């Protein structure tokens, strides 16, 4: 029997095909090369540098590029430890893991911290008239948030250097809590097609509430088709981590790039003069109002989700009216 020879992959060789969720169209297979994934180890360091003393707790699926790059490839390239949970990160599973691992870094989606804020932090300060009154004033709210932040740091093991948040828009109210609490968090923005990170900000002196940050040094971002009234346009990007294309879908691949080769994110955004990005919503999700106004359901969902009793919501259009589907927090 002949012995097979192991192939030595080249940077430009296909490494993985990851299918998009297909929420607004049919799922598409995103083709990423070894170079696309490995390039993240050089793109991320200006934002945050891992080292051999870091201990990560992995709570997201490795099939997502967010967890694959920030939670495995990048920390392994720096000699860090990664601990994996063998079950979904529910409160009953996450709390013992935090106590045992005492992580220095966690990569998370916004929902986890939003639920902590809505179900634990805010109710604590609103349960009686005195603290409710104090919570309504800026100066006293900041003090209460600082106290809650110290407790949260202990809950997470007392060694946190970075709680990275990405994958969806982070509610401003929950982010304000982290900011005022002095909790070490960072925000990132990216897509599966860009493997994923494009922009980010880490640390209280860098983050701006409501923004995922500016483009990382190795990445270029601009706005296309800008509306002169709103100064908003589609976010397009050029990055070493951009996909080869969509698997067996030449038309979708062609549509995903501008004529000069920049990737169309499909996100509507605004950009400050110093390059900080503010994401308004998905272009395909836009609802045209009866008076011609552009309605972005993500902005309404963000408000609905601040309710203590709401876990998630989806805003859509039915028969010319806005309708919200709400999943209550049990």
């Amino acid at each position: 029997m002949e012995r097979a020879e192991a192939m030595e992959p080249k940077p430009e060789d296909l490494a993985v095909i990851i299918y998009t969720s297909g929420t607004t169209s049919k799922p598409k297979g995103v083709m990423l090369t070894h170079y696309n994934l490995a390039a993240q180890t050089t793109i991320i360091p200006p934002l945050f540098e891992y080292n051999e003393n870091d201990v990560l707790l992995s709570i997201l699926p490795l099939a997502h590029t967010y967890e694959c790059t920030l939670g495995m490839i990048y920390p392994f390239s720096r000699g860090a430890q990664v601990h994996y949970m063998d079950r979904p990160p529910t409160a009953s599973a996450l709390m013992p893991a935090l106590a045992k691992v005492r992580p220095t870094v966690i990569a998370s989606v916004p929902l986890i911290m939003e639920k902590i804020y809505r179900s634990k932090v805010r109710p604590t300060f609103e349960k009686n008239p005195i603290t409710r009154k104090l919570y309504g004033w800026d100066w006293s709210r900041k003090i209460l948030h600082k106290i809650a932040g110290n407790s949260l740091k202990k809950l997470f093991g007392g060694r946190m250097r970075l709680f990275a948040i990405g994958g969806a828009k982070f509610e401003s109210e929950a982010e304000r809590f982290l900011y005022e609490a002095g909790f070490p968090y960072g925000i990132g923005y990216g897509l599966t097609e860009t493997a994923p990170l494009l922009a980010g900000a880490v640390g209280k002196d860098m983050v701006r509430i409501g923004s995922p940050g500016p483009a990382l040094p190795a990445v270029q971002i601009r706005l296309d088709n800008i509306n002169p009234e709103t100064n908003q346009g589609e976010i397009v990007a050029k990055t070493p981590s951009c996909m080869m294309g969509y698997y067996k879908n030449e038309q979708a691949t062609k549509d995903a790039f501008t004529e000069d080769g920049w990737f169309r994110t499909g996100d509507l955004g605004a950009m400050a003069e110093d390059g900080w990005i503010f994401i308004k919503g998905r272009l395909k999700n836009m609802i045209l109002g009866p008076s011609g106004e552009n309605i972005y359901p993500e902005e309404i969902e963000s408000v609905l989700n601040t309710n203590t009793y709401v876990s998630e919501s989806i805003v859509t259009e039915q028969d010319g009216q806005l309708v919200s589907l709400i999943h209550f927090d049990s």
Side-chain angles (χ1 to χ4, degrees), residues 71-186:
M72 185 182 72
I73 295 175
Y74 181 40
F76 282 0
S77 74
R78 299 302 191 267
Q81 298 179 37
V82 182
H83 294 253
Y84 294 95
M85 295 187 65
D86 59 358
R87 65 200 70 186
T90 59
S92 59
L94 185 57
M95 293 304 106
L98 289 171
K100 181 179 180 180
V101 176
R102 299 182 61 233
T104 61
V105 178
I106 291 179
S108 174
V109 291
L111 183 61
I112 290 178
M113 193 57 72
E114 289 168 355
K115 291 191 73 171
I116 290 174
Y117 172 72
R118 292 201 305 261
S119 63
K120 301 294 182 184
V121 177
R122 194 171 65 186
T124 299
F125 300 130
E126 295 181 342
K127 65 183 179 182
N128 67 67
I130 296 176
T131 54
R132 191 182 309 122
K133 187 73 171 178
L134 290 171
Y135 202 57
W137 297 331
D138 282 353
W139 68 271
S140 49
R141 185 196 65 239
K142 292 176 181 179
I143 294 173
L144 293 173
H145 278 173
K146 191 69 175 179
I147 294 170
N150 291 334
S151 297
L152 190 62
K153 290 174 187 177
K154 292 178 182 177
L155 183 67
F156 274 74
R159 299 196 301 178
M160 288 292 297
R161 294 204 308 128
L162 172 65
F163 188 87
I165 299 172
K169 182 177 175 58
F170 189 29
E171 290 177 7
S172 294
E173 191 176 342
E175 184 179 357
R176 184 184 67 178
F177 159 65
L178 289 186
Y179 183 85
E180 293 178 351
F183 194 79
Y185 79 100

Side-chain angles (χ1 to χ4, degrees), residues 232-301:
Q232 298 173 6
E234 182 180 11
I235 299 171
V236 299
K238 182 174 285 189
T239 169
S241 289
C242 191
M243 66 172 182
M244 298 170 64
Y246 294 115
Y247 182 62
K248 293 185 177 180
N249 196 333
E250 293 183 7
Q251 186 59 50
T253 299
K254 181 180 178 180
D255 294 342
F257 292 90
T258 64
E259 291 185 0
D260 57 351
W262 290 52
F263 174 70
R264 300 182 184 274
T265 68
D267 289 322
L268 180 77
M271 188 177 292
E273 291 184 1
D274 57 359
W276 283 67
I277 303 162
F278 293 84
I279 300 171
K280 301 302 179 180
R282 293 290 293 171
L283 285 169
K284 290 183 179 179
N285 293 349
M286 188 194 77
I287 299 170
L288 188 64
S291 302
E293 68 273 26
N294 295 339
I295 301 171
Y296 294 94
E298 292 90 346
E299 294 184 350
I300 303 174
E301 291 162 4

Side-chain angles (χ1 to χ4, degrees), residues 217-232:
V219 178
Q220 294 175 268
I221 289 179
R222 73 177 190 224
L223 300 181
D224 270 12
N225 301 316
I226 298 174
N227 183 325
E229 295 182 2
T230 63
N231 290 321
Q232 298 173 6

